[in-house]
């Protein structure tokens, strides 16, 4: 794990790191799988290689390694998100999600309504809803992620989506959700549940958008293995 200073993008190749984590201590030998910045400036890191761990770096330069986030066997954390209450959500590579609140982790799985399969993506929209994308369980919608026992609504191939595989999630400035799937992009209007489908025929580079993003101007970006 390498931290650079505030430098222009073009200077990164020649920049010297301000700090390197992992050459010793608890990170030694582990590989970084996912990273996420929370609203306090902390950096969450999912780590793997032989064992799965989660760490958080804070703005004071302290790197904290959590002994466990889920159990009984620690699953690899495959996605992060922060809800409007400031709680951190972790998606699991096996199945389920974990909420970090007040220093404690709470796990939710299939019996809590979390869609089946590994969690490929987590997304909190402007209305504060948490969206959960899974590898073969479709798209989960949590309207009140701060609830003690959140309820999950599922969208899948039997409920409007074109595929049960959701690979990425974003939204536009009108609150419509764009779910990248194994068969293109499904645009879901949460107010009506209407779904509009987009494929390579509409200009996608390929039919599996692995990354989706809305920039500060409202433009939507979809990253695929072909552009």
């Amino acid at each position: 794990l390498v931290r650079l200073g505030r430098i222009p993008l073009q200077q990164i190749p020649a920049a010297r790191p301000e700090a390197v984590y992992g050459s010793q201590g608890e990170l030694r030998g582990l590989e970084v799988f996912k990273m996420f910045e929370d609203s306090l400036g902390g950096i969450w890191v999912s780590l793997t290689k032989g064992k799965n761990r989660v760490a958080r770096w804070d703005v004071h330069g302290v790197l904290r390694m959590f002994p466990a986030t889920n159990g009984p066997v620690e699953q690899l954390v495959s996605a992060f998100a922060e809800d409007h209450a400031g709680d951190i959500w972790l998606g699991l590579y096996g199945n389920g999600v974990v909420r970090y609140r007040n220093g404690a982790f709470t796990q939710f799985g299939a019996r809590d309504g979390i869609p089946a399969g590994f969690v490929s993506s987590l997304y909190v929209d402007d209305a504060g809803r948490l969206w959960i994308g899974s590898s073969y369980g479709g798209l989960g919608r949590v309207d009140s992620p701060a609830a003690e026992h959140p309820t999950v609504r599922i969208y899948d191939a039997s409920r409007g989506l074109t595929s049960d595989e959701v690979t990425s999630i974003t939204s536009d400035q009108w609150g419509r959700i764009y779910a990248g799937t194994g068969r293109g992009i499904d645009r879901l209007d949460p107010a009506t549940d209407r779904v509009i489908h987009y494929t390579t025929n509409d200009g996608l580079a390929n039919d599996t958008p692995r990354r989706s993003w809305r920039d500060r101007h409202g433009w939507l970006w979809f990253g695929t293995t072909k552009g």
Side-chain angles (χ1 to χ4, degrees):
L1 185 63
V2 177
R3 189 184 82 234
L4 301 177
R6 296 184 179 182
I7 57 177
L9 183 64
Q10 62 270 22
Q11 295 181 16
I12 288 179
R16 295 178 62 86
E18 290 186 345
V20 177
Y21 304 90
S23 59
Q24 56 186 359
E26 292 185 277
L27 264 65
R28 185 174 183 179
L30 295 176
E31 296 179 352
V32 174
F33 184 68
K34 295 284 184 178
M35 298 177 66
F36 173 77
E37 181 182 12
D38 63 30
S39 59
L40 298 177
I43 304 298
W44 292 76
V45 185
S46 169
L47 301 151
T48 188
K49 193 175 182 182
K51 58 182 177 180
N52 302 317
R53 302 292 299 272
V54 172
R56 181 183 182 271
W57 176 90
D58 66 25
V59 294
H60 303 293
V62 177
L63 184 69
R64 177 186 180 187
M65 181 75 78
F66 294 99
T69 64
N70 61 86
V73 177
E74 185 80 359
Q75 297 184 50
L76 177 64
V77 171
S78 52
F80 292 96
E82 181 176 357
D83 64 26
H84 286 191
D87 298 332
I88 303 299
W89 289 83
L90 296 73
L92 303 179
Y93 196 83
N95 171 253
V97 297
V98 175
R99 180 174 61 195
Y100 181 73
R101 171 188 288 175
N102 298 327
F105 294 94
T106 303
Q107 189 168 347
F108 304 94
R111 65 181 180 182
D112 303 296
I114 305 300
F118 85 81
V119 175
S120 61
S121 49
L122 294 173
Y123 182 78
V124 176
D125 67 14
D126 295 342
R129 293 172 293 225
L130 172 69
W131 297 85
I132 305 168
S134 78
S135 59
Y136 59 83
L139 182 66
R141 167 182 164 180
V142 181
D143 288 351
S144 301
E148 188 68 22
H149 301 286
T151 58
V152 185
R153 181 176 182 178
I154 300 294
Y155 298 89
D156 57 17
S158 68
R159 299 176 180 86
L161 296 190
T162 54
S163 171
D164 289 337
E165 179 190 11
V166 175
T167 55
S168 61
I169 309 169
T170 191
S171 68
D172 62 24
Q173 55 190 316
W174 297 280
R176 297 173 298 197
I177 297 298
Y178 293 74
T181 77
R183 297 181 177 177
I185 296 172
D186 284 339
R187 190 185 79 184
L188 167 66
D189 186 344
T192 64
D193 287 349
R194 184 188 180 197
V195 176
I196 295 178
H197 186 56
Y198 300 96
T199 69
T200 53
N201 293 331
D202 303 293
L204 288 181
N206 77 5
D207 279 338
T208 308
R210 298 292 180 184
R211 297 290 183 270
S212 302
W213 194 262
R214 185 179 81 191
D215 69 20
R216 68 187 66 184
H217 304 294
W219 289 55
L220 302 184
W221 297 83
F222 301 95
T224 78
T225 57
K226 294 187 178 180

